[in-house]
Amino acid sequence: MQVKSYTFFQGTQYPLRVTWVFGDEPGPTIMVQGGIQGDELSGFCTAQMLTHCNLRKGNLIIVPRANEPSILRRTRQINVDLNRRFDKEYNSFYEDRLARAIRFLINGADGFIHLHEGSGFYNPVYVDKLRNPNRYGQSLIIDAAVYKGLHLERMCLQTIDRLNKDIANPSYRFTLFNTDTFDKTTHYPEMLKSLTCYALVTRGIPAMAVEVSKDIKNLEWKVRKQLKATVYLLEEFGLKVDEPDFSFPKSSSSAGLEIKINGHLLKGRSIDLVRGGPVYTAGSDRAEACSVLEPSLAVFASDRPNLNMLTAPRMALSTFPALEVRLDGDRMASAKVRWQGTGSDLPEPNGPVFLCWLNGNPRFVNEKGTLKAVDGDQLILEGVLGSSAEEILNLKGFVASVTSNNGQDVGYEIIADPSNFMAKYMLDEKDGVSRYRIVRETPGKRRAEFYLSIEPRRVKALELVPDHGDRMFLNWVVDGVQETPADHYVLKDVWSNGGQNKIQPFVNGIPANWGETFEVGSGRDTTVTLRHATTFDLIGSMTIRGRNYMRTSLD
């Protein structure tokens, strides 16, 4: 058995951790996902536990936390419901980038199991307010009994029969929930936008959801039953899997949790920060729960509740009352901020100087100046140097929040992606470079603006280092074929007009790290694909064809 883990969107506010498990014997590949809605704890706990299984036959693609930002805030959604973004291609919020990657993953699967946690207890007829057709808990959910020869009902009923034998409380037993999604009279038309429906209709693979109840308070019991249901379904798919043996953490604990602010360990209930100074944050979780659940860690400033400071630097141009530490959404610690320094405004004789973060590095832009970015770069608008006001900076054409589109774009992670901005706000486009206005709209301050230019990301060549011979450069030709001697190669670097970390490589459809080794076999084709690391948009693919390599005495 082999296990490979990878994190898509590394360094962004929406990392997507994925684990591939390759069984001892070949068999179907099944994708299991949890955490698409952040207030459903069981789903991401169960999926994380499954990564520790022993797989004897078949393969697994496991996505424990499909929507980490919503998990960290312990809410169903941040902007939009991620599980309603699969009926078509969207490109408005970070959720749509996650959906793009999830569709890619599911394209490599022969079946799909979605792990959820819903309110109440599903029952086909009304019993009471907690047990009726509008509740979802303790059910296996399918879109149809049979869909184009896929016998979903039969698979789920056999699983339910096995599962319920070990559940003593009849109220907690599982029920089949057929939403009849494709029936014109369905009571659940929103399911047409769900991921299980996408898997079933677009991919043509069996898909179902395992939903436990939020009204059962024993989390460990729910996780163990959901895990058992998942294992039973995997066996229905033809996999052979041993359920992992684990000790479930009794509760979240701050023991072993280390957070450093500007290099100093966060202790107690207060912290000193300098007004106008940098705020750099680092953290780690060495608690027992870390090894089992591998929880997501975040530090939030009270004025920016959706910006995880562990991956977003900050300059404290404006003050905020407190810092908060969260672990998988549980509030672990908080500290009031005691501010040092004055809060008086400095004069602006030559106009304001704007502070922005570009790929984690500070950039200072004068009025009417231009911040130059490449497609896929990460941008945070910080404020105006020397200003004590809570500045309002409006990137025209960008919508920071679906709930409050008030023109305030300070403190949000912005991905430089012209297709994500409203086209009517583009100032101009020349040689593929698009330009946008960022306007100061702070009450009581003089209106001023600067510009953001975004040029396309261009790839020129791949740098490879073979086992035998010197490093080489392969011209990047989209959909082209390049021949090289058969050998093992290190995927050393990429020549482009931007940072290496903004390009995500794949080798034969599996994500790879820069510096990783791959094989080009004699007479065989190896496909290298490049995608934007922050948006998952396709840059292109190229085939590397291995030709016979005759080893000499000099090798």
Side-chain angles (χ1 to χ4, degrees):
M1 189 182 81
Q2 292 182 325
V3 179
K4 176 177 176 131
S5 295
Y6 196 86
T7 301
F8 295 108
F9 308 113
Q10 183 77 48
T12 72
Q13 293 292 303
Y14 45 95
L16 185 69
R17 291 184 275 171
V18 185
T19 297
W20 284 261
V21 184
F22 303 97
D24 297 325
E25 301 176 29
T29 298
I30 307 302
M31 179 168 163
V32 180
Q33 179 173 282
I36 199 168
Q37 291 147 343
D39 59 345
E40 301 181 3
L41 283 69
S42 297
F44 62 77
C45 291
T46 300
Q48 193 66 62
M49 294 299 186
L50 186 64
T51 64
H52 301 288
C53 74
N54 178 45
L55 188 59
R56 291 175 284 116
K57 179 180 179 181
N59 309 299
L60 287 171
I61 303 170
I62 306 172
V63 184
R65 293 168 177 81
N67 191 347
E68 188 168 298
S70 72
I71 290 172
L72 288 169
R73 299 310 309 178
R74 196 61 65 83
T75 183
R76 181 180 178 89
Q77 64 191 58
I78 299 297
N79 296 298
V80 290
D81 188 341
L82 178 53
N83 201 30
R84 299 294 182 266
R85 306 298 275 186
F86 294 96
D87 57 323
K88 62 180 181 179
E89 181 77 29
Y90 297 91
N91 190 24
S92 297
F93 305 104
Y94 83 84
E95 289 94 341
D96 301 323
R97 300 176 192 124
L98 289 174
R100 197 172 296 142
I102 291 167
R103 279 193 291 266
F104 166 82
L105 291 169
I106 214 167
N107 285 344
D110 303 307
F112 177 61
I113 302 171
H114 214 179
L115 305 179
H116 285 276
E117 185 175 3
S119 62
F121 303 84
Y122 171 74
N123 201 70
V125 296
Y126 187 92
V127 176
D128 53 43
K129 65 180 182 179
L130 280 181
R131 196 174 297 275
N132 59 64
N134 292 318
R135 299 295 185 173
Y136 286 76
Q138 298 308 103
S139 68
L140 267 62
I141 305 175
I142 54 176
D143 291 293
V146 180
Y147 183 83
K148 294 185 177 180
L150 301 175
H151 293 268
L152 307 175
E153 182 178 80
R154 184 176 64 195
M155 293 177 67
C156 289
L157 283 177
Q158 291 178 179
T159 295
I160 289 171
D161 183 56
R162 295 177 66 188
L163 194 60
N164 285 343
K165 288 178 180 177
D166 295 325
I167 300 177
N169 187 342
S171 299
Y172 287 3
R173 290 173 185 163
F174 286 81
T175 304
L176 181 68
F177 184 178
N178 184 351
T179 59
D180 285 321
T181 302
F182 311 110
D183 193 308
K184 292 181 179 180
T185 62
T186 182
H187 295 291
Y188 313 96
E190 71 278 4
M191 292 301 172
L192 288 167
K193 300 181 178 182
S194 72
L195 181 54
T196 50
C197 187
Y198 170 85
L200 190 62
V201 174
T202 305
R203 286 284 297 117
I205 60 176
M208 63 282 295
V210 180
E211 189 121 13
V212 294
S213 176
K214 292 180 180 178
D215 289 283
I216 297 175
K217 302 307 178 184
N218 188 330
L219 179 60
E220 179 180 355
W221 186 92
K222 289 188 290 187
V223 168
R224 290 190 181 279
K225 294 305 176 185
Q226 193 172 49
L227 181 60
K228 193 171 290 292
T230 303
V231 169
Y232 289 162
L233 283 171
L234 291 173
E235 291 174 353
E236 291 290 328
F237 277 111
L239 276 66
K240 295 180 180 178
V241 55
D242 297 326
E243 188 177 331
D245 183 25
F246 57 88
S247 176
F248 195 83
K250 296 303 179 184
S251 62
S252 298
S253 171
S254 59
L257 191 63
E258 290 188 356
I259 302 295
K260 290 185 177 181
I261 309 295
N262 293 337
H264 300 288
L265 198 62
L266 181 63
K267 293 181 178 180
R269 298 182 179 180
S270 64
I271 185 172
D272 293 327
L273 293 177
V274 177
R275 187 165 190 153
V279 184
Y280 290 104
T281 308
S284 63
D285 178 24
R286 299 174 183 173
E288 178 186 355
C290 181
S291 61
V292 179
L293 293 177
E294 300 178 33
S296 299
L297 178 64
V299 179
F300 296 110
S302 51
D303 63 336
R304 298 180 184 179
N306 292 320
L307 192 72
N308 187 352
M309 296 176 67
L310 291 175
T311 53
R314 178 164 187 178
M315 195 78 75
L317 301 183
S318 60
T319 62
F320 50 88
L323 292 172
E324 180 183 70
V325 180
R326 285 182 172 244
L327 200 64
D328 268 349
D330 286 328
R331 185 176 178 180
M332 307 305 297
S334 63
K336 293 182 178 180
V337 179
R338 296 180 303 208
W339 290 100
Q340 312 295 321
T342 62
S344 57
D345 287 351
L346 297 179
E348 300 174 356
N350 300 313
V353 177
F354 300 95
L355 171 59
C356 310
W357 297 94
L358 184 65
N359 299 326
N361 299 307
R363 294 289 185 269
F364 302 95
V365 188
N366 293 322
E367 183 179 4
K368 299 294 184 181
T370 299
L371 177 65
K372 296 181 179 181
V374 179
D375 194 4
D377 281 351
Q378 294 165 267
L379 168 68
I380 297 176
L381 304 178
E382 187 65 82
V384 177
L385 288 182
S387 172
S388 62
E390 186 176 335
E391 294 281 350
I392 296 177
L393 302 182
N394 186 355
L395 171 54
K396 297 296 183 179
F398 171 73
V399 179
S401 171
V402 71
T403 56
S404 57
N405 186 20
N406 56 8
Q408 174 60 296
D409 295 328
V410 168
Y412 289 91
E413 181 179 59
I414 301 169
I415 304 300
D417 175 11
S419 67
N420 184 234
F421 300 162
M422 289 183 276
K424 66 179 181 179
Y425 288 99
M426 183 190 297
L427 286 177
D428 51 51
E429 183 179 8
K430 184 178 181 181
D431 297 329
V433 179
S434 52
R435 209 161 58 98
Y436 301 86
R437 295 166 61 227
I438 302 175
V439 183
R440 183 190 202 183
E441 298 178 345
T442 311
K445 297 289 186 179
R446 183 174 67 84
R447 190 179 178 92
E449 65 182 48
F450 66 107
Y451 307 103
L452 169 67
S453 70
I454 306 173
E455 66 173 296
R457 191 169 296 276
R458 299 181 176 93
V459 175
K460 297 180 180 179
L462 296 178
E463 180 182 352
L464 306 179
V465 180
D467 275 356
H468 307 92
D470 298 326
R471 67 174 181 169
M472 62 173 61
F473 298 92
L474 287 184
N475 288 333
W476 178 254
V477 182
V478 174
D479 297 329
V481 178
Q482 297 278 38
E483 288 193 351
T484 65
D487 207 339
H488 288 87
Y489 290 87
V490 174
L491 192 60
K492 181 68 174 178
D493 204 351
V494 58
W495 279 25
S496 77
N497 58 338
Q500 178 197 79
N501 64 344
K502 292 295 181 285
I503 297 178
Q504 168 61 61
F506 295 78
V507 177
N508 292 332
I510 300 295
N513 293 301
W514 296 108
E516 194 170 306
T517 299
F518 68 98
E519 182 181 5
V520 176
S522 177
R524 296 181 180 178
D525 288 348
T526 299
T527 301
V528 176
T529 301
L530 302 180
R531 290 180 176 270
H532 291 276
T534 55
T535 67
F536 213 75
D537 282 329
L538 181 67
I539 295 174
S541 295
M542 185 175 76
T543 298
I544 301 177
R545 182 164 296 161
R547 62 174 181 263
N548 290 336
Y549 175 80
M550 298 301 295
R551 187 166 180 166
T552 70
S553 60
L554 297 178
D555 288 339

